[in-house]
Amino acid sequence: MQFMLLFSRQGKLRLQKWYVPLSDKEKKKITRELVQTVLARKPKMCSFLEWRDLKIVYKRYASLYFCCAIEDQDNELITLEIIHRYVELLDKYFGSVCELDIIFNFEKAYFILDEFLLGGEVQETSKKNVLKAIEQADLLQEKTENIDLSKSFIGCKPAY
Amino acid sequence: MEAVNLLSSNRYTEKQIGYLFISVLVNSNSELIRLINNAIKNDLASRNPTFMGLALHCIANVGSREMAEAFAGEIPKILVAGDTMDSVKQSAALCLLRLYRTSPDLVPMGDWTSRVVHLLNDQHLGVVTAATSLITTLAQKNPEEFKTSVSLAVSRLSRIVTSASTDLQDYTYYFVPAPWLSVKLLRLLQCYPPPEDPAVRGRLTECLETILNKAQEPPKSKKVQHSNAKNAVLFEAISLIIHHDSEPSLLVRACGQLGQFLQHRETNLRYLALESMCALAGSEFSHDAVKTHIDTVINALKTERDVSVRQRAVDLLYAMCDRSNAQQIVAEMLSYLETADYSIREEIVLKVAILAEKYAVDYTWYVDTILNLIRIAGDYVSEEVWYRVIQIVINRDDVQGYAAKTVFEALQAPACHENLVKVGGYILGEFGNLIAGDPRSSPLIQFHLLHSKFHLCSVPTRALLLSTYIKFVNLFPEVKTTIQDVLRSDSQLKNADVELQQRAVEYLRLSTVASTDILATVLEEMPPFPERESSILAKLKKKKGPNTVTDLEEAKRERSADVNGGPEPAPASAASTPSPSADLLGLGAAPPAPAGPPPSSGGLLVDVFSDSPSAVAPLAPGSEDNFARFVCKNNGVLFENQLLQIGLKSEFRQNLGRMFIFYGNKTSTQFLNFTPTLICSDDLQMNLSLQTKPVDPTVDGGAQVQQVVNIECVSDFTEAPVLNIQFRYGGTFQNVSVKLPITLNKFFQPTEMASQDFFQRWKQLSNPQQEVQNIFKAKHPMDTEITKAKIIGFGSALLEEVDPNPANFVGAGIIHTRTTQIGCLLRLEPNLQAQMYRLTLRTSKETVSQRLCELLSEQF
């Protein structure tokens, strides 16, 4: 996969993950063009389209468009399923995910994506394993936060 | 800096934020990069799986070259070490993949490669998935190293495919077992040809059959995800079957399956089915099976609402076209063309033109089709298309009359496209006499018909029409006065465009001055063109890029027998008769070249030749000019066309010389069987000895190869050797010939001498045979400095203050041959007012004087 973009129906970019090195200007240009092209498609149209020399696979979930760019030899249907799997992961993690969840917890969305896809290829297809890894990371985070909190109390005198 | 601090902290949150920061905001700030790399190294060595995971993710996300340098050695070790955790192994595999993609040279192949292959047998399916992706990419570059993975992949795949749905538990996706892994394994298998080991091959075939069977079973779930996953595996399996192209039963089954999908409710499946069928149509086993679906495809073309699906349908029709259904398909494509999107029209036009030509049994049908094409989509009919029509019409006598008649009728329509006027004008000019007998198409009517369109056309078309008029003067003397009046009118003679004005004036003079015989010779009918590759195909390939259906076509054409049958040789043959039309390019010295309308319209024909090189005997256009340029200099570009560039660098000493010929491949495709040969006539061989080493027969795209030629001058010579280059480009055979600028003056050694010596020797060489004098008009501006430079470049020493007239140039030198040395004296007297030169050359050998005088006269 070359890149994955998530954007709303108004064209606002919610998440972008690039698996190829491109300059900032190029990224912006591609994003703009692609968003326009995808938003112009009618609902019953095919989920695949050819754009520049890449294949674009997109699917709309409620108000968000999930858009992936794959190379010529990649399998389009499996990419559709990659998108669906990612949505399922988000759903499981956030519990009935909606766009707001992604907006407010974007770093978690990136972490989940990293556990699922790496370098543009599918890393782990088991939902259980991915979510387990994320939960472990969360636990570690909480632990260190608790240590922080307790540390900050040590220095204070109890207020009588 | 803060980020680096965060990275090195031991707390997870801070590390996490640090890595996030790095992944998003890294740039090539060298200080920070080193520190970052250090921190990452520590993390990788830490053995803490979470930290290692974070570090690997960061490397994979950034993947810059510096990181590759730092870590490319470490990561394979982590990958194959026994004690790394599975999750870390996965990340390591994909991280290595990312680094390999960005900097393939920095990832060394070591003994870890065999261990990586064994990862395919790992328990943990996540690891297998990651390893498969890695191996697929690596195997594309080093297939030998990873050959063992094929059998492992096949066994893994068959285990998955035949497993019950409860076996794989979490890896089962909506009742489909491990779809992603299956797809990846199938992709890996596509990197290799079908396995030789019969056991492995048998298992693979079984596996593929199972997949195909499963597709027929009723679906286990109504959800679209289930069907998508199942079909994803199915399509990948079909790709593999097409790639192997060895089992006819599988191919036919695949074709049947795709045929079912063609009428599926879901647009996605129809789209993919059309695409896969395109690939299937290229295989000989399934070609017929594909053809059975032609009606469905045509229906799809007419009724699909999605334009991308319609586009795929067009591609498929083009791929499945052969003799039996050509007429039907072309008719369908023409009717689609009328309503097609503007962006794809040009491509469809090219395709229709190619199909019509390839499968035309009856060339009248071909002419009709092309004329229809021009009528429907005239703007998108590129130049190559109508050049091709003209080529075909001229080459085939039987269709000329029909073409003239049809064109005449087509021109009578009220609104004609300009391309139609061009074609019509040309054909009527050549073959109008064939229909002149009929009173409805008498010469006068033909002329008026064309002239009525004259003012509506652009300049190139008008130029063509003027040529047609002069041809009419030759063919039909009765309309001569009418045409002369037209030519004489002010709008022609004083036309603002130079080309039109020139043509009008020249043609007018030609028609008044020349007798009928000369007129007939000059304006004789165009001879048949030599067969060559259709430039339309070249244009289509250029448009679509190298790996497309057209290439499959080429391969198909080469494999099967000549498609057209019939007496006409296949377009790609190079053994054509030397074309008399080469004379058009003004190279041959033969008097009235029978086919020559004035040089300006030769431009039309040069374009026809421009995409392809000349036949074996005649020389490439411009060879003479290039040759002349190289007389006075030793380095430069000798020849260039769209595919090949030939450069020269030479050095000479006394009677020996060495020439380096550089052949540059200007395209991105390899040249195969690249053979340059030096051709010398027998006389030349006696006087000039050439030795050359053979050149590597494969020239990569964009690469340059060098050939060294050792030259020795045995005795003086007058001719020049010819360098003939033959190679295969794409599917076609290319042939280029250029004159190699090894001339007598290259062996000229300058000699300085004082004025008295010069005159003494001059008197000594007073024998009339020893002197050659030439008076000629200056071809280039008469600049003193440039002239001096040319004389020195010629090889002679420029002697100052020898000639009493300071404007004259005097030179002296010695020609070195193996047998003798010949002293030469030259004197060049310019006459600025008359723009002429007088060149006198005195040497002790007559032939030398002659040749040197010839050579030098061309330079000024």
Side-chain angles (χ1 to χ4, degrees), chain B residues 123 160 167 209 224 231 247 267 275 454 529 586-587 636 684 689 718:
Chain B
Q123 287 270 22
I160 295 174
D167 280 355
E209 277 181 8
V224 70
N231 290 329
E247 294 277 340
T267 324
E275 205 174 5
F454 189 82
F529 290 89
L587 289 177
L684 188 56
S689 139
T718 36

Side-chain angles (χ1 to χ4, degrees), chain B residues 477-495:
Chain B
E478 63 264 29
V479 296
K480 182 162 158 178
T481 39
T482 333
I483 295 184
Q484 279 180 331
D485 285 333
V486 167
L487 288 176
R488 203 170 287 140
S489 73
D490 273 349
S491 63
Q492 309 302 350
L493 291 181
K494 301 204 183 139
N495 194 309

Side-chain angles (χ1 to χ4, degrees), chain B residues 659-677:
Chain B
M659 183 177 273
F660 295 88
I661 311 182
F662 298 94
Y663 303 100
N665 180 344
K666 277 170 77 173
T667 68
S668 51
T669 328
Q670 270 185 345
F671 292 161
L672 301 168
N673 303 67
F674 189 81
T675 22
T677 19

Side-chain angles (χ1 to χ4, degrees), chain A residues 1 17-21 41 44-50 55 59 61 73-82 84-85 88 107 110-111 114-129 137-138 140-141 144-145 148 151, chain B residues 11-13 16 20 50 56-57 60-61 87 90-91 94-95 97-98 101-102 124 126 129-130 133 140 169-174 179-180 183-184 187 224-225 228-229 231-233 235-236 267-269 271-272 275 305-309 312:
Chain A
M1 196 184 297
K17 188 78 190 190
W18 299 83
Y19 294 110
V20 282
R41 305 265 293 176
K44 282 291 183 176
M45 287 179 115
C46 191
S47 288
F48 318 123
L49 59 110
E50 307 222 332
K55 293 201 247 202
K59 195 142 189 236
Y61 288 88
Q73 63 269 35
D74 287 334
N75 188 320
E76 298 97 328
L77 278 180
I78 211 77
T79 317
L80 260 186
E81 291 316 304
I82 290 180
H84 189 77
R85 199 0 94 81
E88 281 181 354
E107 80 276 6
Y110 276 111
F111 291 147
D114 269 341
E115 287 293 329
F116 178 46
L117 296 171
L118 194 60
E121 302 285 336
V122 174
Q123 195 193 161
E124 176 62 70
T125 48
S126 156
K127 217 159 51 169
K128 238 183 0 188
N129 287 354
D138 281 345
L140 261 183
Q141 205 174 358
T144 50
E145 280 173 6
D148 279 341
K151 269 198 195 150
Chain B
R11 287 169 35 184
Y12 177 74
T13 14
Q16 203 184 34
L20 191 59
T50 335
L56 287 168
H57 285 191
N61 283 335
S87 59
Q90 274 168 232
S91 313
L94 290 176
C95 193
L97 180 58
R98 174 60 197 273
R101 281 200 184 133
T102 44
H124 189 258
T129 316
S133 299
Q140 279 167 1
Q169 293 178 327
D170 200 39
Y171 285 95
T172 309
Y173 180 78
Y174 289 97
W180 284 283
V183 167
K184 286 203 181 179
R187 277 282 298 286
V224 70
Q225 280 72 32
N228 272 351
N231 290 329
V233 180
F235 274 108
E236 201 65 41
T267 324
N268 289 346
L269 289 176
Y271 179 92
L272 289 174
E275 205 174 5
R305 275 158 47 202
D306 190 338
V307 65
S308 29
V309 182
R312 289 275 155 269

Side-chain angles (χ1 to χ4, degrees), chain B residues 86 96 113 140 152 182 204 211 233 268 279 370 418 451 488 544 582 681 683:
Chain B
D86 292 329
L96 189 60
T113 48
Q140 279 167 1
L152 285 175
S182 315
L204 182 58
I211 298 178
V233 180
N268 289 346
I370 299 290
E418 192 170 328
H451 199 58
R488 203 170 287 140
K544 303 239 355 184
S681 72
D683 288 321

Side-chain angles (χ1 to χ4, degrees), chain B residues 546-562:
Chain B
N547 303 322
T548 59
V549 184
T550 50
D551 268 1
L552 277 173
E553 286 267 305
E554 293 278 324
K556 207 174 29 155
R557 244 193 301 160
E558 281 164 56
R559 267 194 288 175
S560 61
D562 181 28

